[in-house]
Amino acid sequence: MCGNECINANAKYCGECIQAGAKCGWCKDPGFLKQGETVSTRCDEMESLIKRGCDKGMIENPRGEQRTLKNKAVTHRRKGADKLKPEDITQIQPQKLSLTLRSGEPQSFDLKFKRAEDYPIDLYYLMDLSYSMKDDLENVKNLGTSLMLEMSKITSDFKIGFGSFVEKTVMPYISTTPAKLLNPCTGDQNCTSPFSYKNVLRLTSDGKKFNTLVGQQHISGNLDSPEGGFDAIMQVAVCGEQIGWRNVTRLLVFSTDAGFHFAGDGKLGGIVLPNDGKCHLENNVYTMSHYYDYPSIAHLVQKLSDNNIQTIFAVTEEFQPVYQLPDDIPVQEIATFILLSLGFWQSLSSEVILENSKLPEGLTIAYISRCKNGVVSEGENGRKCSNISIGDEVTFSISVTSKGCPKKGKSETIKIKPLGFTEEVEITLNFICECECHKDGVKNSPLCHFGNGTYECGACKCNEKRVGRQCECSSNDVATEDMDRTCRKDNGTDICSNNGDCVCGTCECKKRDNPEERYSGQYCECDNFNCDRSGNKLCGGHGRCECRVCVCDPMWTGSACDCSLDNSTCMASNKQICNGRGTCECGMCKCTDPKFQGPTCETCPTCPGVCIEHKECVQCRAFGTGEKKDKCEKDCSYFNLIKVKDRDKLPQPNDASYPLMHCKERDANDCWFYYTYAVNNNTEKEVHVVDTLDCPTGPDIIPIVAGVVAGIVLIGLALLLIWKLLMIIHDRREFAKFEKEKMNAKWDTGENPIYKSAVTTVVNPKYEGK
């Protein structure tokens, strides 16, 4: 199922319900369940229960809580101030809490940690004296003598102890011949007898004594390369009284130049008993090395952690990788002999890591660290903070969550502490496993069919082998034919309408994957999800589905509750219903005048003046011109614009199912543009416009010039011809007049006395007249 966790839990009683999840509540109203609904439907999310009709006061939904029982502030002190006892120094706050946990509901609190200045330190120095350490012995001795000086710079309350180890005193780890037991070294070298572990010096503040004893150490010898150092570490960890550990910061420096034996290696010497993790020092010597095997790494980790001991491996560079055990040794550090300087010791405790004791099954803890410089980490990194100097304060947010009811509701105590520190936070856990109304339950109640169950939280919690809402049936009789007959509607063949199971003669309806969907009814014949829909919403989103019929909210009606009885949406701007030109039906106007459209019958696409009203907006949107081109987007976005190629593509009145108006308008350039305006069936204003303007064409210059020139020439020629014709007529009239006057004239024939002939006749004397 993909429903919520409350529905999926199929809870039979209130306690089981609240364990399903933090959001789950239980309706204890006795009359809450509808016919056919199972008892488990009382368990649901709070909002769903209220929506289904359960009063908020009848819902059981207990919440967890937390109380701080001890909250001593962290200590603020400086080196050189008045000394305090270790138990009076506080580095972690709070110290004791009580958490009441509800399943799935986390309880969170902040844990504060501050490294106290001048905090007491115990340091135990464990030295490998096997023969392989011969070359490094002087470095190791120098290291031991420098430890006292360096640590005194960090704290004024410092104690140091010293121990050494070689190997188990059995074959094949050492030679057991009498001579080799006295001097395991070869040649003329004088070595000390082999041993497993010696506590040479109990923790002391006497630095001179420590330096003397370290300087007096001599090499011993063994046969194999790995050493028995883990035996020594185990004894140092568990022999607190002999070592002298105080309840302060405990450091163990382990120096060697070889690997280590661990659990199972003892079989080579016939040792099969596992290490018992107990102290076996007699006269400061480990006496059971031949009896118990080496400890395992996990066993060693447990003992070091239980005793708050931080381990520092001071090894040669060659063996540093061997001791890289980041997840096994608590707060371990690895360094070569020459690197254990003041800076190393100061940085050793600069990382704070929180660890918790073993958790009960079903309990989880999440950490968020808030370290220096605003660094925030989660997950595994949320357990620790690095680069913490003395006096620095960091905070961890810790969230504790339970699942179900761990430990059957019994109180449990867990502890959280910084790794390697003795201080801790003690947390008492109490679990909410039952509802408050559980206390008022009536065992063997007559309400549960003659006492066959406990009546609690509004429902019967049936006794073993009893079923039914009132525990009225035995679990052995739930599937008989007689009982099935009462689960068939109208004596049909379908049991519980195929939507449920017949339990004890009563239909218990099936659950749906969707927790909001339910079957109900005596025969599970009803449901709340098969009603009419509108706008893809059940009952139009304005009602609820009951037995496949919509029950509409006030002011809504119709089979799908999609018809509004509110007339305010039909009110026109003139305060008339549908502008007085229609009727309001289901919150929408139905216009009775076919010329009018729109949600309130105020739009008339074919009325005079429509074209002029929309001219400027059509012009600016289609062509980017006109008076409104600068504010076109603001003023002219009220219609949908559709461009077409030519006038033939414009919609025609006969083609449209709604009225439209054809418009022809002229712009400032005397260009015509054509468009239609209409309000479509979806009450959307729609404009179709031809995307090209119809502008008058300009004159053709060449023909005009040619025509003008030709006209001038022709006119000139015509004028010359007329002038010539007039001159000819005029000359002919003058000549005719002259002829007429000539004929009418009378001339005198007498000689002029003064006339002399201009002709002179000369005769050639020699002319003979031939």
Short mmCIF file of all heavy atoms in Angstrom, two decimals, residues 233-263:
data_model
loop_
_atom_site.label_atom_id
_atom_site.label_comp_id
_atom_site.label_asym_id
_atom_site.label_seq_id
_atom_site.Cartn_x
_atom_site.Cartn_y
_atom_site.Cartn_z
N ILE A 233 48.60 -3.61 26.70
CA ILE A 233 47.58 -2.55 26.66
C ILE A 233 46.35 -2.98 27.45
O ILE A 233 45.76 -2.19 28.19
CB ILE A 233 47.22 -2.22 25.20
CG1 ILE A 233 48.41 -1.58 24.48
CG2 ILE A 233 46.02 -1.27 25.14
CD1 ILE A 233 48.15 -1.28 23.02
N MET A 234 45.96 -4.26 27.30
CA MET A 234 44.78 -4.75 28.01
C MET A 234 44.99 -4.63 29.52
O MET A 234 44.09 -4.17 30.25
CB MET A 234 44.50 -6.19 27.62
CG MET A 234 43.36 -6.85 28.39
SD MET A 234 41.76 -6.03 28.11
CE MET A 234 41.37 -6.68 26.48
N GLN A 235 46.15 -5.01 30.03
CA GLN A 235 46.40 -4.94 31.46
C GLN A 235 46.45 -3.49 31.94
O GLN A 235 45.96 -3.16 33.02
CB GLN A 235 47.70 -5.67 31.81
CG GLN A 235 47.63 -7.19 31.60
CD GLN A 235 46.50 -7.82 32.39
OE1 GLN A 235 46.45 -7.72 33.62
NE2 GLN A 235 45.59 -8.47 31.68
N VAL A 236 47.02 -2.60 31.14
CA VAL A 236 47.07 -1.18 31.51
C VAL A 236 45.65 -0.62 31.60
O VAL A 236 45.34 0.20 32.48
CB VAL A 236 47.91 -0.39 30.49
CG1 VAL A 236 47.79 1.11 30.76
CG2 VAL A 236 49.37 -0.81 30.56
N ALA A 237 44.76 -1.08 30.70
CA ALA A 237 43.40 -0.56 30.67
C ALA A 237 42.57 -1.04 31.85
O ALA A 237 41.80 -0.27 32.44
CB ALA A 237 42.72 -0.94 29.34
N VAL A 238 42.72 -2.33 32.23
CA VAL A 238 41.81 -2.90 33.23
C VAL A 238 42.37 -2.89 34.64
O VAL A 238 41.62 -3.06 35.61
CB VAL A 238 41.41 -4.34 32.83
CG1 VAL A 238 40.68 -4.34 31.50
CG2 VAL A 238 42.61 -5.28 32.79
N CYS A 239 43.67 -2.70 34.78
CA CYS A 239 44.28 -2.69 36.13
C CYS A 239 44.38 -1.27 36.64
O CYS A 239 45.49 -0.74 36.89
CB CYS A 239 45.64 -3.37 36.11
SG CYS A 239 45.60 -5.11 35.64
N GLY A 240 43.23 -0.62 36.79
CA GLY A 240 43.23 0.79 37.17
C GLY A 240 43.84 1.05 38.53
O GLY A 240 44.56 2.04 38.72
N GLU A 241 43.60 0.18 39.48
CA GLU A 241 44.12 0.39 40.82
C GLU A 241 45.63 0.27 40.85
O GLU A 241 46.32 1.09 41.48
CB GLU A 241 43.48 -0.62 41.78
CG GLU A 241 43.86 -0.42 43.24
CD GLU A 241 43.15 -1.37 44.17
OE1 GLU A 241 42.14 -1.99 43.72
OE2 GLU A 241 43.59 -1.51 45.31
N GLN A 242 46.20 -0.76 40.17
CA GLN A 242 47.65 -0.94 40.16
C GLN A 242 48.35 0.15 39.35
O GLN A 242 49.44 0.58 39.71
CB GLN A 242 48.00 -2.31 39.58
CG GLN A 242 47.63 -3.49 40.48
CD GLN A 242 46.20 -3.96 40.25
OE1 GLN A 242 45.37 -3.20 39.78
NE2 GLN A 242 45.95 -5.23 40.59
N ILE A 243 47.71 0.61 38.27
CA ILE A 243 48.32 1.66 37.44
C ILE A 243 48.20 3.01 38.13
O ILE A 243 49.07 3.87 38.01
CB ILE A 243 47.67 1.70 36.05
CG1 ILE A 243 47.81 0.34 35.36
CG2 ILE A 243 48.27 2.80 35.18
CD1 ILE A 243 49.24 -0.09 35.10
N GLY A 244 47.10 3.21 38.86
CA GLY A 244 46.90 4.47 39.56
C GLY A 244 46.10 5.49 38.76
O GLY A 244 46.25 6.70 38.99
N TRP A 245 45.26 5.00 37.83
CA TRP A 245 44.46 5.95 37.04
C TRP A 245 43.54 6.76 37.94
O TRP A 245 42.91 6.25 38.84
CB TRP A 245 43.59 5.20 36.02
CG TRP A 245 44.29 4.51 34.88
CD1 TRP A 245 44.31 3.18 34.63
CD2 TRP A 245 45.04 5.13 33.84
NE1 TRP A 245 45.03 2.91 33.50
CE2 TRP A 245 45.51 4.09 32.98
CE3 TRP A 245 45.41 6.43 33.54
CZ2 TRP A 245 46.28 4.33 31.87
CZ3 TRP A 245 46.18 6.68 32.41
CH2 TRP A 245 46.61 5.65 31.58
N ARG A 246 43.49 8.08 37.66
CA ARG A 246 42.52 8.96 38.31
C ARG A 246 41.34 9.19 37.34
O ARG A 246 41.41 8.83 36.16
CB ARG A 246 43.17 10.30 38.67
CG ARG A 246 44.27 10.21 39.69
CD ARG A 246 44.85 11.59 39.96
NE ARG A 246 45.51 12.14 38.77
CZ ARG A 246 45.91 13.42 38.64
NH1 ARG A 246 45.70 14.26 39.65
NH2 ARG A 246 46.52 13.83 37.56
N ASN A 247 40.30 9.81 37.85
CA ASN A 247 39.13 10.09 37.02
C ASN A 247 39.33 11.41 36.28
O ASN A 247 38.60 12.38 36.44
CB ASN A 247 37.87 10.14 37.90
CG ASN A 247 36.61 10.06 37.06
OD1 ASN A 247 36.62 9.53 35.95
ND2 ASN A 247 35.51 10.58 37.59
N VAL A 248 40.39 11.44 35.44
CA VAL A 248 40.75 12.64 34.67
C VAL A 248 41.07 12.18 33.24
O VAL A 248 40.83 11.04 32.87
CB VAL A 248 41.96 13.36 35.30
CG1 VAL A 248 41.62 13.86 36.70
CG2 VAL A 248 43.18 12.43 35.36
N THR A 249 41.63 13.08 32.43
CA THR A 249 42.05 12.71 31.08
C THR A 249 43.15 11.67 31.16
O THR A 249 44.17 11.87 31.83
CB THR A 249 42.55 13.94 30.30
OG1 THR A 249 41.47 14.88 30.18
CG2 THR A 249 43.03 13.54 28.92
N ARG A 250 42.96 10.54 30.47
CA ARG A 250 43.91 9.43 30.54
C ARG A 250 44.54 9.21 29.16
O ARG A 250 43.83 8.99 28.18
CB ARG A 250 43.19 8.15 30.98
CG ARG A 250 42.57 8.27 32.37
CD ARG A 250 41.72 7.04 32.69
NE ARG A 250 41.16 7.12 34.06
CZ ARG A 250 40.39 6.18 34.58
NH1 ARG A 250 40.06 5.11 33.88
NH2 ARG A 250 39.92 6.32 35.80
N LEU A 251 45.86 9.27 29.12
CA LEU A 251 46.60 9.06 27.87
C LEU A 251 47.53 7.87 28.02
O LEU A 251 48.18 7.70 29.06
CB LEU A 251 47.42 10.30 27.52
CG LEU A 251 46.67 11.62 27.35
CD1 LEU A 251 47.65 12.75 27.05
CD2 LEU A 251 45.62 11.52 26.27
N LEU A 252 47.57 7.05 26.96
CA LEU A 252 48.47 5.90 26.93
C LEU A 252 49.36 6.03 25.70
O LEU A 252 48.88 6.02 24.58
CB LEU A 252 47.66 4.59 26.85
CG LEU A 252 48.45 3.32 26.58
CD1 LEU A 252 49.48 3.06 27.68
CD2 LEU A 252 47.52 2.13 26.42
N VAL A 253 50.68 6.17 25.95
CA VAL A 253 51.66 6.25 24.86
C VAL A 253 52.27 4.86 24.68
O VAL A 253 52.90 4.32 25.60
CB VAL A 253 52.75 7.29 25.15
CG1 VAL A 253 53.77 7.30 24.01
CG2 VAL A 253 52.13 8.67 25.31
N PHE A 254 52.07 4.27 23.50
CA PHE A 254 52.52 2.92 23.19
C PHE A 254 53.63 3.02 22.15
O PHE A 254 53.40 3.40 21.01
CB PHE A 254 51.33 2.12 22.65
CG PHE A 254 51.66 0.71 22.25
CD1 PHE A 254 51.68 -0.32 23.18
CD2 PHE A 254 51.97 0.39 20.93
CE1 PHE A 254 51.96 -1.62 22.81
CE2 PHE A 254 52.26 -0.90 20.55
CZ PHE A 254 52.26 -1.92 21.50
N SER A 255 54.89 2.69 22.56
CA SER A 255 56.02 2.84 21.64
C SER A 255 56.55 1.47 21.24
O SER A 255 56.78 0.60 22.08
CB SER A 255 57.13 3.66 22.30
OG SER A 255 57.66 2.97 23.41
N THR A 256 56.72 1.28 19.93
CA THR A 256 57.23 0.01 19.40
C THR A 256 57.78 0.25 18.00
O THR A 256 57.53 1.30 17.39
CB THR A 256 56.12 -1.06 19.36
OG1 THR A 256 56.66 -2.29 18.91
CG2 THR A 256 55.00 -0.65 18.42
N ASP A 257 58.51 -0.76 17.50
CA ASP A 257 59.01 -0.67 16.12
C ASP A 257 58.59 -1.91 15.33
O ASP A 257 59.21 -2.26 14.32
CB ASP A 257 60.54 -0.53 16.12
CG ASP A 257 61.22 -1.81 16.58
OD1 ASP A 257 60.54 -2.64 17.24
OD2 ASP A 257 62.41 -1.98 16.30
N ALA A 258 57.53 -2.60 15.81
CA ALA A 258 57.11 -3.83 15.14
C ALA A 258 55.59 -3.91 15.16
O ALA A 258 54.89 -3.06 15.75
CB ALA A 258 57.71 -5.05 15.84
N GLY A 259 55.05 -4.94 14.50
CA GLY A 259 53.62 -5.15 14.47
C GLY A 259 53.12 -5.75 15.76
O GLY A 259 53.82 -5.73 16.78
N PHE A 260 51.92 -6.34 15.72
CA PHE A 260 51.32 -6.85 16.94
C PHE A 260 50.65 -8.20 16.69
O PHE A 260 50.20 -8.52 15.59
CB PHE A 260 50.29 -5.86 17.49
CG PHE A 260 49.26 -5.42 16.47
CD1 PHE A 260 48.16 -6.19 16.17
CD2 PHE A 260 49.44 -4.21 15.79
CE1 PHE A 260 47.23 -5.78 15.24
CE2 PHE A 260 48.51 -3.80 14.84
CZ PHE A 260 47.41 -4.59 14.56
N HIS A 261 50.62 -9.02 17.75
CA HIS A 261 49.81 -10.24 17.76
C HIS A 261 48.41 -9.88 18.22
O HIS A 261 48.21 -8.95 19.03
CB HIS A 261 50.40 -11.26 18.74
CG HIS A 261 51.61 -11.97 18.20
ND1 HIS A 261 51.57 -12.78 17.09
CD2 HIS A 261 52.90 -11.99 18.65
CE1 HIS A 261 52.78 -13.27 16.86
NE2 HIS A 261 53.61 -12.82 17.79
N PHE A 262 47.40 -10.62 17.71
CA PHE A 262 46.04 -10.41 18.17
C PHE A 262 45.34 -11.76 18.30
O PHE A 262 45.96 -12.82 18.11
CB PHE A 262 45.27 -9.47 17.23
CG PHE A 262 45.27 -9.89 15.79
CD1 PHE A 262 44.28 -10.73 15.28
CD2 PHE A 262 46.28 -9.45 14.93
CE1 PHE A 262 44.28 -11.12 13.96
CE2 PHE A 262 46.29 -9.84 13.61
CZ PHE A 262 45.28 -10.68 13.11
N ALA A 263 44.05 -11.73 18.67
CA ALA A 263 43.30 -12.95 19.01
C ALA A 263 43.46 -14.02 17.95
O ALA A 263 43.32 -13.75 16.76
CB ALA A 263 41.83 -12.61 19.20
#
